[in-house]
Amino acid sequence: MSLQVIENATCTFCGCVCDDIQLHHDDMRIHKANHACVLGTAWFLNHTAEKKYPVALVDGREATLDEAIEAAATHLHAADMPLVYGMSNTTCEAQKQCVALADQLGGLLDSHTSL
Amino acid sequence: MGGKVTCTLGEVKQRADFIIYWGGNPAECHPRHFTKYTIMQKSRFLPRGRKDRTMVLVDIRETKSAKAADIFLQIRPGKDFELITILRALIKGQPVADEQIAETGLSRAVVDDLIARMKRAKFGCMFFGMGLSMTRGKHMNSAALLCLAAEMNAFTKFVAMPMRGHGNVTGADVIMRWQTGFPFGISFNRGYPRYNPGEFSTVDVLVRGDCDAAFIIGADPGATMPQPAIDHLARIPTIVLDPHVTHTSRIARVHITTAPQGIAAPGTAYRMDELPMPLKPALKSPYPSDEEVVRRINEAIARKPFWLPDGRQPQMVATLG
Ligand code: SF4
């Protein structure tokens, strides 16, 4: 099967955020990441579209996405002082949702920067 | 870090003829920094590329990056702040005793040479890494270096920039600044954002046991934080969103697998110079994106009655949707 090519893809592994990566991929995985460095190549090649993990785990058991979302909402809603933390390996769009989450919970909001 | 004297990496690539890396190891942590943005590039203003540029590395040990440097300055651990302060004094011609310089591990001749080169440069740029911002002095070190960059502008063009790692941490800073006015360490518990690192920063909160639930996204504190913090995460209901089942997932009550950003999830990520870059995902993930899951959690919480007397949600700054 011939591979599809994406020109000028963006690598988010380190703060350089190189936006000149040429990705050769099929439906399942990326086979080649031209221009990327060793770290970037490992980052692109190690993630696949396989279903390696369960969609969600609730109390250690496999659960559906809907159940997990409801469980998460219930725990966060019940808490007096919930903490929203991380946001390094995610998109700005998701980060904005995280700010909204901490805001409506009246909770704490923090990132890697504080470490 | 608002108000810092900085620029974009494009300007560095075009113009910077004098580059200092302080407490960072780009050769191993940001492998394409040299070739793409700093010392190796030829430009209209620096047509001979590497030959037109000088690179200085300041660090406590000789890392792989030292090979790329023209000048390597090995300083004593924990003496960054002292050295920056000495430089700030000497550029203005204020007296500094020999013993004070010797304490940093450098000689007066080396420091004088560095200052002469800094002043001779047409465009200087200082990149500082975790070796500066995460060691003794922490953000005071970063603040001192940013002051030095600002003060150097009395002589020539000088800027400074943090070498951020870890995917999109820069984006997190920018988004929080945009939405709340503060970059991290924020509390909404009075209904409006307050900023106080040390009180609201995660390690401190967890070690003191101050929070009673945790929502962790795009990070793995279970692998990186001190044990008392991890113990607290295991005690309280913890919710994890990650493309992998992480150390934190194993102690969490809820784990949701999400699509990895930039590979299977679209969106935006910020470069270390605070330029937003669009992502071009190559794969279709069987998992939802972080954005979708957090939005749905937000919606699920919004459907629940809240603790304000009239049952409203106190939504102050950020909008849902
Ligand atoms: S390709 Fe290498 S240098 Fe560029 S963003 Fe990815 S990890 Fe960083």
Side-chain angles (χ1 to χ4, degrees):
Chain A
M1 199 178 89
S2 69
L3 298 178
Q4 284 160 279
V5 178
I6 294 186
E7 300 285 350
N8 298 327
T10 311
C11 174
T12 56
F13 186 77
C14 83
C16 288
V17 190
C18 299
D19 57 345
D20 59 351
I21 316 290
Q22 191 189 47
L23 297 178
H24 295 249
H25 70 98
D26 57 23
D27 287 348
M28 233 24 205
R29 63 178 69 242
I30 297 163
H31 292 268
K32 212 156 66 180
N34 288 340
H35 307 308
C37 69
V38 276
L39 300 178
T41 306
W43 159 255
F44 279 116
L45 269 51
N46 286 347
H47 287 93
T48 64
E50 282 167 323
K51 217 166 157 200
K52 266 204 274 186
Y53 301 106
V55 175
L57 296 168
V58 174
D59 294 320
R61 277 190 297 277
E62 287 194 24
T64 65
L65 182 61
D66 289 343
E67 285 163 358
I69 286 174
E70 196 46 47
T74 306
H75 286 310
L76 292 170
H77 180 255
D80 291 325
M81 184 56 84
L83 162 73
V84 176
Y85 171 76
M87 290 178 274
S88 303
N89 286 317
T90 192
T91 60
C92 294
E93 288 74 6
Q95 288 162 348
K96 183 163 182 279
Q97 286 294 326
C98 291
V99 179
L101 177 64
D103 184 2
Q104 76 160 338
L105 289 168
L108 300 162
L109 177 69
D110 193 29
S111 80
H112 248 110
T113 305
S114 76
L115 260 186
Chain B
M1 262 181 276
K4 62 177 177 273
V5 180
T6 191
C7 68
T8 63
L9 289 169
E11 284 177 272
V12 173
K13 171 178 162 182
Q14 296 296 332
R15 295 171 187 274
D17 59 345
F18 189 77
I19 291 150
I20 302 180
Y21 285 98
W22 197 306
N25 181 8
E28 285 177 285
C29 303
H30 297 86
R32 295 183 72 203
H33 208 256
F34 291 149
T35 48
K36 216 164 140 25
Y37 304 118
T38 58
I39 53 178
M40 303 311 287
Q41 287 281 349
K42 291 189 171 123
S43 74
R44 188 170 149 201
F45 305 103
L46 304 160
R48 294 184 304 147
R50 182 69 184 89
K51 289 199 193 75
D52 283 332
R53 304 187 197 241
T54 307
M55 174 187 154
V56 178
L57 179 72
V58 183
D59 210 337
I60 56 165
R61 72 182 85 83
E62 198 171 336
T63 60
K64 280 205 176 140
S65 302
K67 272 199 209 74
D70 298 298
I71 301 170
F72 170 55
L73 303 178
Q74 185 161 12
I75 60 167
R76 292 225 177 100
K79 293 292 173 194
D80 300 270
F81 186 84
E82 285 77 355
L83 181 56
I84 297 167
T85 311
I86 287 169
L87 290 174
R88 287 180 59 199
L90 287 176
I91 58 169
K92 288 173 228 149
Q94 287 161 1
V96 177
D98 283 338
E99 309 83 76
Q100 286 170 307
I101 297 178
E103 215 178 277
T104 64
L106 302 179
S107 69
R108 182 178 289 274
V110 167
V111 173
D112 282 345
D113 175 60
L114 177 65
I115 289 170
R117 286 172 189 271
M118 285 168 76
K119 288 188 177 175
R120 261 204 319 269
K122 289 207 185 87
F123 188 122
C125 184
M126 295 189 281
F127 293 98
F128 56 101
M130 308 234 276
L132 182 74
S133 58
M134 297 287 173
T135 51
R136 179 176 164 260
K138 289 204 165 181
H139 61 279
M140 294 305 291
N141 293 345
S142 316
L145 197 82
L146 293 170
C147 274
L148 174 62
E151 288 165 2
M152 272 304 295
N153 282 275
F155 308 98
T156 185
K157 169 85 183 169
F158 234 89
V159 298
M161 191 188 299
M163 294 284 281
R164 307 303 299 277
H166 281 116
N168 195 17
V169 262
T170 310
D173 281 17
V174 172
I175 298 293
M176 281 190 270
R177 256 165 26 203
W178 163 42
Q179 294 281 291
T180 74
F182 306 113
F184 59 90
I186 299 159
S187 171
F188 284 100
N189 68 347
R190 289 195 188 155
Y192 55 88
R194 288 183 301 147
Y195 170 67
N196 196 7
E199 185 181 6
F200 305 139
S201 35
T202 301
V203 180
D204 306 273
V205 165
L206 290 175
V207 170
R208 287 194 309 259
D210 274 358
C211 60
D212 57 351
F215 179 84
I216 314 286
I217 175 171
D220 191 8
T224 52
M225 284 200 174
Q227 195 57 41
I230 298 171
D231 291 343
H232 189 66
L233 281 175
R235 246 186 328 261
I236 59 175
T238 295
I239 296 127
V240 174
L241 260 59
D242 205 278
H244 305 279
V245 173
T246 62
H247 289 94
T248 319
S249 307
R250 287 186 230 287
I251 55 169
R253 298 283 295 275
V254 181
H255 162 91
I256 301 176
T257 311
T258 53
Q261 57 146 347
I263 289 178
T268 314
Y270 272 76
R271 204 164 75 182
M272 62 167 77
D273 55 351
E274 300 187 359
L275 242 64
M277 299 290 186
L279 305 180
K280 290 190 177 175
L283 303 178
K284 273 201 182 58
S285 175
Y287 306 110
S289 71
D290 284 330
E291 184 195 1
E292 183 193 333
V293 175
V294 188
R295 173 183 288 124
R296 287 184 56 191
I297 293 174
N298 269 329
E299 287 162 0
I301 292 171
R303 282 194 294 272
K304 297 181 187 293
F306 216 71
W307 42 267
L308 288 185
D310 57 0
R312 262 187 314 117
Q313 307 279 352
Q315 194 74 33
M316 293 299 160
V317 290
T319 46
L320 291 174

